[in-house]
C-alpha cells in the first residue's frame, strides 16, 4: 500500500517528463541524407541556399537581407563562423553586435528559413588570416591545419564552443532550430598534398571530432574528395554539374556557387552575368544536384581590419544578388528568383529519381526525371555558344547558345537561363553638398581638426633588435603598422657616404606597403599587389653630416587567407636595406634597429572620440593636406531619411575611417585598377572565370565606402580619418544610393513569367499567358512616374541607352505609359495584339526604361 502510494505519486511526474521530452522531439526536425538529397523528416528536399556573413552587415540590416533572400526563393542561409571575431584573446569570447551569431541564426529562423553553419574554423572567405585568431600562431609547437596536437586542441575547443552555444539556444534542427547542416574545415582538399601524410590523419581526426560533437544534423566538408563517412563531400566552383560525391549514399551538393568574385585594392571589379550564373545552377540540377548555395547571396562590407589578403578591398559586394548596401542587384536577383521557382516546380520529380540522359546532338543534352506516379521534369541544355534547334519527345525546341531550358512537365518550357524576364535596375549615387537641402554640414577646411602622427619612434614601448624582424610575428597584427628605425652618424672618415651628396637608399620588403622617411621627411613609398606582395624601392637621398635617421613604415593590408601554410607567409622589411655612394654599398640590415608597433594615435584611441584626446586636436586655419601621417576629424549631420549612405573618398590617399568610433574599413582610392582587361558587356556564353568579366579599368578599385545607417545618429556625428599617404579630407563627399531606372527587354520568344500567380486574374492558364514585361518600383510607396523609353520591334542597346532598331511600332510609348505611369507595378504583354505588328516575319521584342518617384 505504502509502495503503491509512492509510485502513484511519482507516476504523474514521470508521465509529464515523458510528455515534455516528447514534445521537445516533436518540435525537432530529423535531418539525414541519402543518394538523392538531404532528407528532412523523412522527405527528400531540393534546397536553394545563399551565403550571408553576419559580420559583413549590421544586425539592423539582417532582417531585411534575410527577407529579400526568402523572397528570392532561398530555403537556407549559409554563414561561416569567424573565430578571430569571437575569440580575439584566447579564452575571451565576444558575441556582441555584428558578432551576435545566435541573434543572426534566430533572425533566419524567424523568417522561416534553414541555416547551414560552416564552422570551419578555418574559413578562407577573404577574411583576415582566414578567420584564425593571431594568438593561435604563437602557441608553442603549433602547426596549422595538420595532425598537430596544439592546433587540434584549439580547433576542437572552438568548434565545441560554437556547437555548445548553438545547442544551448536549441538552434540545431534536431532541437527544433533552423540549423540543418554544418561544415568542418574548408577546402582542405585543394592544398592537403602540401601537408604530406599528416593531412590524411588530420582529416580523419577533423571528421571524428566533428561527429563526436553530436549535433544531430549532417556534417559536410567542401572540396574534400576523401571526406570520411558519414561526412558529405561537397563541391565549390563556378560550375559543379560534373561533380559527384565519394559515395553513392551521399547527395550531390554544391556549397559555393560563386555568384561573382571578390575585389582587391589595385584590381578591377569582377562581375558574373546572370545568364551564366543561372546556366550553372540549372546544369547542376539537370545533372542530379539537389542542394546549391550561392557564395555570396549578399557579400556586404569588410568593416574595420577584417579583410583578408593581402589587398582584399573593403567592399565585399561580390556582384551578389543582393548588393553591398542591401539593395537588389537586378536582373540577377530576379532572374534567379524565377529559376528557383521553376526548380521548385520540378522538385517532386527531382527528388524521386536519378535523371536519364539523352544526347540531342553535339553538346546538346536532355536529362529527364520521370517517376512511376507520373511526375516528369526535363532539362534541355545547349552547351555550344551558337543557338540550336532540337527535337525532344517529338516536339521542336529553340535553345539559345549556352542555355538550359526547364520543362517542369516535360513539355512546356517555363524557363530558359539565357532569357531574362526580370527587370533590371540601375543604381545611382546622389552626391550631397552644401547646396542641397540635406542637413549635412559642409566638410570645409574650417570644419576639420587634425593631429599629426609622429614620424618614426614616438611610443614608450618601442624596442630594439639586431637586424630586421618579420612584421606579423612582431605586431601579432595588433596594428597594420610597424616602424623600422635606424640612426647613424656620418663623419668625414666615411668616404662612401659624403654628407650633402646623393646616396642611393635601397629597401626590400615582403610588403604589403612601405613608406620611407629620411630625417623626418617623406621620401616616397610603394606597395605590392594581390598577386605579388613584394616591394623593392630605390630612392636617391641626401644625408646630413652627423646624425641621420631612416624610418621605414611598413603596413599590412589584410593578412593572407588562402593557400598551404598561408599562416606563415610573413610581411615587412626583409632587407637588405642598403646605402650606396661612390661605388660602395653599405648594408644597414644587420645593425641595431628600433621598432614601434602601431601608431601613437592608435594607442590614444583617437578614433574613439573620447574626451581625453579632445583638447589635443588642432583646428587652426592651416589644415595640412597632401602630407602623410595625419589624423583628421570633423562633425557632420547625417543625410536625412533612410537613404543608404556612402562616402566617396576621392581626394584621400590611403588609411582607415571611423564614424562615431566604428571603423568603416580601410580606404584607398588612389590604388587604381589596371588600364586594360575590362569589357563593358561581357559575353555570358562560354565558361566563366574570375578574370573573364571585369569593369572599372583605370579607375580607383574602390571609391565608395558603405556607411551603415545604424552607424549614424541624429545630430552631430563624428568622423575620424587616419591618412597614411597624403590626402585632402575637404574633397571627400557623402552620397546616398538610389535605384535609378527600371528596365526590361523581353522578346516574343521568352517564356511567360513564372510568377504569373501574382496576377490572380491571369492564373487561369499559364500556357495562354505569353511573354510579358513586369516592372515594379523597389519601394512599396513608390510610383512609376516616367516612361523614358519604350519600343516594340527590334530595339537595341542596354538599360539607359536603348534605341529603336530597324522596326518599331508607333504606339509603344503610349501603350506602356497607359499601363505603367502612376502605378507601383505594371505588366505589359510582349505581343502584336498589344502593339500591332511593325515588321512581319521577324521576332520582335519590347524594351522599356522607366523611373520611379523617390
Ligand atoms: C573559396 C573559399 C571561400 C572564398 C572563395 C572565394 O575557395 O572556400 O571561403 O574564399 O573561395 O571568394
Amino acid at each position: 500500500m505504502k509502495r503503491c502510494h509512492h509510485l502513484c505519486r511519482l507516476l504523474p511526474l514521470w508521465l509529464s517528463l515523458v510528455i515534455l521530452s516528447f514534445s521537445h522531439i516533436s518540435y525537432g526536425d530529423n535531418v539525414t541524407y541519402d543518394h538523392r538529397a538531404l532528407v528532412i523528416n523523412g522527405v527528400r528536399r531540393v534546397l536553394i541556399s545563399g551565403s550571408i556573413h553576419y559580420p559583413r552587415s549590421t544586425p539592423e540590416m539582417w532582417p531585411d537581407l534575410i527577407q529579400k533572400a526568402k523572397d528570392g526563393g532561398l530555403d537556407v542561409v549559409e554563414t561561416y563562423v569567424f573565430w578571430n571575431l569571437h575569440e580575439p584573446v584566447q579564452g575571451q569570447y565576444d558575441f556582441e553586435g555584428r558578432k551576435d551569431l545566435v541573434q543572426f541564426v534566430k533572425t533566419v529562423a524567424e523568417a522561416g528559413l534553414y541555416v547551414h553553419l560552416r564552422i570551419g574554423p578555418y574559413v578562407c572567405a577573404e577574411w583576415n588570416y582566414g578567420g584564425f585568431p593571431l594568438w593561435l600562431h604563437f602557441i608553442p609547437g603549433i602547426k596549422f591545419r595538420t595532425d598537430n596536437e596544439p592546433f587540434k586542441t584549439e580547433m576542437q575547443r572552438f568548434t565545441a564552443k560554437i556547437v555548445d552555444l548553438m545547442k544551448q539556444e536549441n538552434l540545431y534542427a534536431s532541437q527544433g532550430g533552423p540549423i540543418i547542416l554544418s561544415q568542418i574545415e574548408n577546402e582542405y582538399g585543394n592544398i592537403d598534398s602540401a601537408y604530406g601524410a599528416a593531412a590524411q590523419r588530420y582529416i580523419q581526426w577533423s571528421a571524428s571530432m566533428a561527429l563526436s560533437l553530436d549535433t544531430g544534423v549532417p556534417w559536410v566538408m567542401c572540396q574534400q574528395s576523401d571526406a570520411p563517412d558519414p561526412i558529405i563531400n561537397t563541391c565549390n566552383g563556378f560550375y559543379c554539374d560534373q561533380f559527384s560525391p565519394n559515395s553513392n549514399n551521399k547527395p550531390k551538393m554544391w556549397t559555393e556557387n560563386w555568384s561573382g568574385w571578390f575585389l582587391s585594392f589595385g584590381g578591377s571589379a569582377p562581375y558574373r552575368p546572370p545568364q551564366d550564373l543561372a546556366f550553372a545552377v540549372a546544369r547542376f540540377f539537370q545533372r542530379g544536384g539537389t542542394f546549391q548555395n550561392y557564395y555570396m547571396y549578399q557579400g556586404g562590407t569588410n568593416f574595420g581590419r577584417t579583410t583578408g589578403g593581402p589587398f582584399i578591398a573593403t567592399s565585399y559586394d561580390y556582384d551578389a544578388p543582393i548588393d553591398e548596401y542591401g539593395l537588389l542587384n537586378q536582373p540577377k536577383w530576379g532572374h534567379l528568383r524565377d529559376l528557383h521557382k521553376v526548380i521548385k516546380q520540378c522538385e517532386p520529380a527531382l527528388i524521386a529519381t536519378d535523371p536519364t540522359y539523352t544526347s540531342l546532338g553535339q553538346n546538346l543534352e536532355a536529362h529527364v526525371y520521370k517517376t512511376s506516379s507520373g511526375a516528369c521534369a526535363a532539362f534541355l541544355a545547349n552547351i555550344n555558344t551558337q543557338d540550336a534547334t532540337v527535337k525532344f519527345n517529338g516536339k521542336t525546341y529553340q535553345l539559345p547558345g549556352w542555355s538550359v531550358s526547364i520543362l517542369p512537365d516535360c513539355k512546356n518550357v517555363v524557363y530558359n537561363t539565357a532569357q531574362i524576364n526580370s527587370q533590371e535596375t540601375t543604381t545611382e549615387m546622389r552626391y550631397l553638398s552644401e547646396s542641397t537641402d540635406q542637413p549635412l554640414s559642409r566638410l570645409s577646411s574650417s570644419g576639420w581638426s587634425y593631429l599629426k602622427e609622429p614620424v618614426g619612434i614616438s611610443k614608450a614601448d618601442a624596442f630594439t633588435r639586431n637586424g630586421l624582424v618579420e612584421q606579423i610575428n612582431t605586431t601579432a597584427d595588433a596594428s597594420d603598422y610597424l616602424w623600422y628605425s635606424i640612426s647613424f652618424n656620418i663623419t668625414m672618415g666615411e668616404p662612401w657616404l659624403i654628407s650633402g651628396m646623393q646616396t642611393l637608399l635601397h629597401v626590400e620588403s615582403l610588403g604589403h606597403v612601405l613608406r620611407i622617411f629620411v630625417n623626418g621627411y617623406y621620401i616616397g613609398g610603394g606597395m605590392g599587389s594581390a598577386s605579388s606582395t613584394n616591394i623593392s624601392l630605390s630612392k636617391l637621398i641626401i644625408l646630413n653630416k652627423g646624425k641621420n635617421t631612416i624610418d621605414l613604415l611598413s603596413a599590412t593590408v589584410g593578412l593572407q587567407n588562402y593557400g598551404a601554410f598561408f599562416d606563415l607567409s610573413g610581411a615587412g622589411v626583409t632587407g637588405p636595406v642598403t646605402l650606396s655612394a661612390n661605388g660602395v654599398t653599405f648594408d644597414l640590415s644587420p645593425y641595431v634597429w628600433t621598432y614601434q608597433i602601431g601608431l601613437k594615435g592608435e594607442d590614444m584611441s583617437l578614433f574613439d572620440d573620447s574626451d581625453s584626446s579632445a583638447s589635443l586636436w588642432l583646428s587652426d586655419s592651416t589644415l595640412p593636406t597632401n602630407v602623410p601621417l595625419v589624423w583628421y576629424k570633423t562633425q557632420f549631420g547625417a543625410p536625412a531619411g533612410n537613404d543608404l549612405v556612402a562616402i566617396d573618398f576621392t581626394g584621400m590617399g590611403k588609411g582607415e575611417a571611423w564614424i562615431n568610433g566604428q571603423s568603416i574599413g580601410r580606404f584607398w582610392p588612389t590604388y587604381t585598377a589596371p588600364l586594360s582587361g575590362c569589357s563593358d558587356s561581357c559575353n555570358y556564353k562560354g565558361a566563366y572565370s574570375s578574370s573573364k568579366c571585369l569593369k572599372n579599368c583605370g579607375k580607383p578599385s574602390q571609391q565608395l565606402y558603405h556607411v551603415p545607417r545604424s552607424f549614424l545618429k541624429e545630430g552631430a556625428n563624428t568622423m575620424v580619418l587616419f591618412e597614411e599617404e597624403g590626402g585632402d579630407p575637404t574633397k571627400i563627399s557623402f552620397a546616398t544610393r538610389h535605384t535609378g531606372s527600371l528596365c526590361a527587354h523581353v522578346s516574343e520568344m521568352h517564356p511567360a513569367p513564372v510568377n504569373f500567380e501574382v496576377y490572380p486574374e491571369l492564373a487561369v492558364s499559364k500556357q495562354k499567358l505569353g511573354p510579358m514585361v513586369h516592372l515594379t518600383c523597389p519601394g512599396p510607396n513608390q510610383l512609376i512616374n516616367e516612361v523614358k523609353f519604350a519600343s516594340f520591334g527590334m530595339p537595341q542597346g542596354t538599360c539607359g541607352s536603348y534605341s529603336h532598331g530597324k522596326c518599331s511600332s508607333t504606339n509603344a510609348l503610349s501603350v506602356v505609359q497607359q499601363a505603367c505611369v502612376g502605378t507601383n507595378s505594371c505588366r505589359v504583354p510582349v505581343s502584336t495584339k498589344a502593339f500591332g505588328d511593325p515588321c512581319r516575319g521577324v521576332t520582335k521584342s519590347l524594351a522599356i526604361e522607366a523611373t520611379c518617384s523617390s
Side-chain angles (χ1 to χ4, degrees):
M1 187 63 187
K2 210 178 168 193
R3 217 172 132 222
C4 171
H5 182 70
H6 188 65
L7 263 184
C8 296
R9 275 209 332 212
L10 274 181
L11 204 58
L13 178 69
W14 178 80
L15 254 181
S16 67
L17 276 179
V18 168
I19 290 167
L20 254 181
S21 51
F22 260 93
S23 64
H24 187 69
I25 288 170
S26 69
Y27 277 116
D29 285 328
N30 177 21
V31 187
T32 56
Y33 64 81
D34 65 13
H35 159 71
R36 276 306 299 144
L38 284 184
V39 178
I40 303 182
N41 295 331
V43 182
R44 289 179 182 155
R45 293 292 306 275
V46 165
L47 294 169
I48 313 284
S49 171
S51 297
I52 301 176
H53 295 156
Y54 52 98
R56 285 176 156 145
S57 55
T58 62
E60 292 77 7
M61 292 168 72
W62 294 342
D64 179 58
L65 298 179
I66 292 163
Q67 186 57 44
K68 283 172 172 154
K70 185 178 186 178
D71 295 343
L74 260 55
D75 307 292
V76 184
V77 169
E78 178 274 337
T79 183
Y80 281 130
V81 178
F82 299 88
W83 188 356
N84 54 10
L85 278 190
H86 297 305
E87 200 179 349
V89 176
Q90 191 175 15
Q92 288 178 22
Y93 296 101
D94 183 356
F95 291 95
E96 296 296 312
R98 283 201 311 276
K99 299 166 230 157
D100 194 344
L101 173 61
V102 166
Q103 184 55 35
F104 181 77
V105 172
K106 286 184 175 169
T107 310
V108 178
E110 276 157 26
L113 302 182
Y114 294 123
V115 170
H116 173 21
L117 195 67
R118 300 212 285 162
I119 300 179
Y122 165 69
V123 296
C124 194
E126 290 69 72
W127 193 262
N128 196 47
Y129 216 40
F132 286 141
L134 253 292
W135 52 257
L136 199 63
H137 171 70
F138 295 96
I139 292 178
I142 203 160
K143 289 196 170 85
F144 286 10
R145 303 179 78 197
T146 188
D147 185 18
N148 168 274
E149 286 310 320
F151 178 76
K152 290 191 300 184
T153 304
E154 291 304 315
M155 172 166 164
Q156 173 157 12
R157 192 180 49 75
F158 181 73
T159 309
K161 166 85 190 170
I162 294 300
V163 168
D164 286 348
L165 183 64
M166 298 297 111
K167 279 188 185 171
Q168 274 161 28
E169 301 280 340
N170 291 325
L171 293 175
Y172 281 101
S174 48
Q175 304 173 293
I179 306 171
I180 53 165
L181 209 59
S182 267
Q183 179 177 301
I184 194 75
E185 248 296 338
N186 187 72
E187 292 194 337
Y188 188 61
N190 288 358
I191 46 105
D192 60 3
S193 58
Y195 293 81
Q200 184 68 54
R201 296 196 299 274
Y202 168 61
I203 274 307
Q204 290 290 338
W205 170 84
S206 300
S208 42
M209 184 273 284
L211 294 168
S212 74
L213 299 175
D214 204 17
T215 61
V217 301
W219 285 92
V220 302
M221 284 182 172
C222 60
Q223 297 290 91
Q224 194 71 49
S225 55
D226 57 354
D229 293 344
I231 293 188
I232 308 167
N233 64 309
T234 64
C235 182
N236 292 352
F238 289 114
Y239 307 92
C240 275
D241 54 282
Q242 299 191 19
F243 167 81
S244 46
N246 63 14
S247 151
N248 204 35
N249 301 322
K250 297 177 186 177
K252 172 166 169 169
M253 295 175 66
W254 190 358
T255 33
E256 288 183 25
N257 176 2
W258 300 319
S259 55
W261 198 245
F262 56 84
L263 177 70
S264 296
F265 285 125
S268 5
Y271 63 98
R272 184 175 187 191
Q275 297 97 324
D276 176 64
L277 181 55
F279 173 79
V281 176
R283 288 289 288 154
F284 180 71
F285 287 102
Q286 168 163 22
R287 300 186 60 188
T290 47
F291 178 103
Q292 190 266 158
N293 176 69
Y294 297 100
Y295 187 99
M296 303 294 297
Y297 196 72
Q298 194 256 351
T301 309
N302 294 312
F303 298 110
R305 301 172 53 242
T306 59
T307 69
F311 298 106
I312 304 293
T314 297
S315 168
Y316 199 62
D317 181 83
Y318 222 90
D319 193 27
I322 304 177
D323 76 11
E324 175 179 7
Y325 296 77
L327 294 177
L328 300 184
N329 174 10
Q330 293 277 49
K332 190 174 265 188
W333 181 89
H335 193 44
L336 296 173
R337 174 208 51 200
D338 293 349
L339 171 60
H340 304 151
K341 211 151 209 164
V342 180
I343 287 170
K344 282 304 165 85
Q345 289 170 18
C346 301
E347 182 168 8
L350 283 176
I351 55 168
T353 170
D354 282 332
T356 24
Y357 162 69
T358 337
S359 170
L360 304 177
Q362 200 180 6
N363 287 330
L364 298 166
E365 298 185 353
H367 287 77
V368 176
Y369 295 85
K370 198 176 168 120
T371 73
S372 47
S373 60
C376 188
F379 292 73
L380 311 183
N382 179 0
I383 309 152
N384 300 305
T385 50
Q386 308 81 25
D387 297 352
T389 306
V390 298
K391 271 225 139 76
F392 172 71
N393 282 350
K395 273 179 75 174
T396 303
Y397 295 86
Q398 306 295 331
L399 289 181
W402 201 254
S403 82
V404 178
S405 282
I406 306 180
L407 297 67
D409 60 357
C410 283
K411 290 194 196 86
N412 296 290
V413 176
V414 170
Y415 184 90
N416 177 277
T417 57
Q419 297 175 326
I420 299 180
N421 282 336
S422 166
Q423 73 184 15
E424 175 175 354
T425 50
T426 59
T427 45
E428 56 181 42
M429 301 304 299
R430 290 190 200 142
Y431 283 82
L432 309 176
S433 66
E434 249 173 339
S435 58
T436 71
D437 52 2
Q438 299 277 2
L440 184 84
S441 64
R442 185 61 190 136
L443 307 170
S444 62
S445 56
S446 55
W448 286 93
S449 49
Y450 70 93
L451 206 51
K452 287 195 173 175
E453 174 70 28
V455 171
I457 307 302
S458 62
K459 290 181 12 180
D461 58 1
F463 55 91
T464 57
R465 290 281 179 280
N466 283 327
L468 296 163
V469 299
E470 192 284 319
Q471 182 160 354
I472 298 166
N473 277 300
T474 308
T475 64
D477 201 34
S479 164
D480 280 1
Y481 299 105
L482 179 63
W483 281 106
Y484 294 69
S485 177
I486 192 164
S487 294
F488 48 90
N489 265 310
I490 295 189
T491 59
M492 284 322 220
E494 284 152 342
W496 57 274
L497 275 176
I498 298 170
S499 83
M501 253 190 67
Q502 284 197 328
T503 303
L504 188 70
L505 169 65
H506 182 82
V507 186
E508 291 284 333
S509 168
L510 246 187
H512 310 152
V513 176
L514 177 68
R515 307 207 179 275
I516 303 177
F517 299 80
V518 175
N519 295 328
Y521 290 100
Y522 184 46
I523 300 299
M527 68 259 182
S529 69
S531 52
S532 166
T533 61
N534 291 19
I535 307 163
S536 178
L537 276 183
S538 293
K539 297 278 172 193
L540 280 173
I541 59 170
I542 293 180
L543 295 170
N544 298 329
K545 184 178 172 191
K547 191 183 172 200
N548 289 275
T549 301
I550 295 178
D551 294 301
L552 306 176
L553 180 63
S554 179
T556 51
V557 188
L559 302 194
Q560 185 71 251
N561 59 269
Y562 182 73
F565 308 107
F566 73 84
D567 48 307
L568 306 176
S569 16
V573 181
T574 47
V577 178
T578 56
L579 293 169
S580 310
N582 286 342
V584 186
T585 293
F586 187 79
D587 190 355
L588 294 169
S589 319
Y591 290 88
V592 176
W593 290 76
T594 306
Y595 293 96
Q596 174 181 309
I597 298 169
L599 308 172
K600 194 164 190 186
E602 288 178 309
D603 274 15
M604 293 162 66
S605 301
L606 290 182
F607 41 81
D608 254 358
D609 196 22
S610 61
D611 285 335
S612 63
S613 69
S615 60
L616 300 172
W617 291 86
L618 304 169
S619 40
D620 47 59
S621 57
T622 54
L623 183 75
T625 56
N626 300 311
V627 289
L629 306 183
V630 189
W631 294 84
Y632 296 104
K633 178 153 136 176
T634 194
Q635 306 244 309
F636 64 97
N642 293 319
D643 294 342
L644 301 163
V645 181
I647 297 179
D648 184 331
F649 274 107
T650 303
M652 294 299 281
K654 172 184 181 288
E656 189 173 347
W658 293 263
I659 305 287
N660 298 324
Q662 303 215 56
S663 172
I664 60 166
R666 296 186 187 92
F667 61 82
W668 200 353
T670 50
Y671 207 173
T672 52
L675 288 171
S676 63
C678 289
S679 51
D680 271 350
S681 67
C682 177
N683 188 353
Y684 67 84
K685 294 175 187 171
Y688 181 77
S689 70
S690 60
S691 58
K692 182 178 172 185
C693 305
L694 301 171
K695 56 186 179 193
N696 238 4
C697 278
K699 303 209 179 110
S701 297
Q702 190 179 349
Q703 183 171 342
L704 293 163
Y705 295 76
H706 181 206
V707 182
R709 261 286 161 190
S710 59
F711 285 19
L712 298 169
K713 54 186 185 198
E714 276 195 35
N717 291 270
T718 304
M719 169 159 48
V720 174
L721 309 176
F722 175 64
E723 172 57 65
E724 161 197 327
E725 178 179 47
D728 182 351
T730 65
K731 295 228 166 76
I732 71 173
S733 40
F734 277 76
T736 55
R737 193 169 174 88
H738 303 266
T739 299
S741 292
L742 308 182
C743 290
H745 190 178
V746 170
S747 112
E748 289 178 307
M749 301 297 283
H750 281 204
V754 291
N755 58 338
F756 66 91
E757 66 271 16
V758 300
Y759 317 114
E761 75 277 18
L762 293 175
V764 260
S765 157
K766 62 184 160 185
Q767 260 77 278
K768 278 195 206 139
L769 198 73
M772 202 170 258
V773 165
H774 182 190
L775 299 177
T776 307
C777 293
N781 302 321
Q782 287 182 299
L783 301 177
I784 294 175
N785 56 5
E786 190 191 348
V787 178
K788 286 185 150 175
F789 180 91
S791 179
F792 179 74
M794 300 171 76
Q796 289 170 346
T798 53
C799 183
S801 59
Y802 289 131
S803 61
H804 296 281
K806 273 192 230 136
C807 83
S808 57
S809 77
T810 49
N811 62 355
L813 191 61
S814 63
V815 169
V816 174
Q817 280 170 337
Q818 185 82 33
C820 295
V821 172
T823 67
N824 169 261
S825 172
C826 65
R827 53 170 199 274
V828 187
V830 182
S831 72
T832 49
K833 232 168 130 191
F835 294 101
D837 194 342
C839 37
R840 277 172 202 284
V842 292
T843 303
K844 288 164 282 288
S845 62
L846 173 64
I848 304 178
E849 180 182 350
T851 54
C852 296
S853 59
S854 47

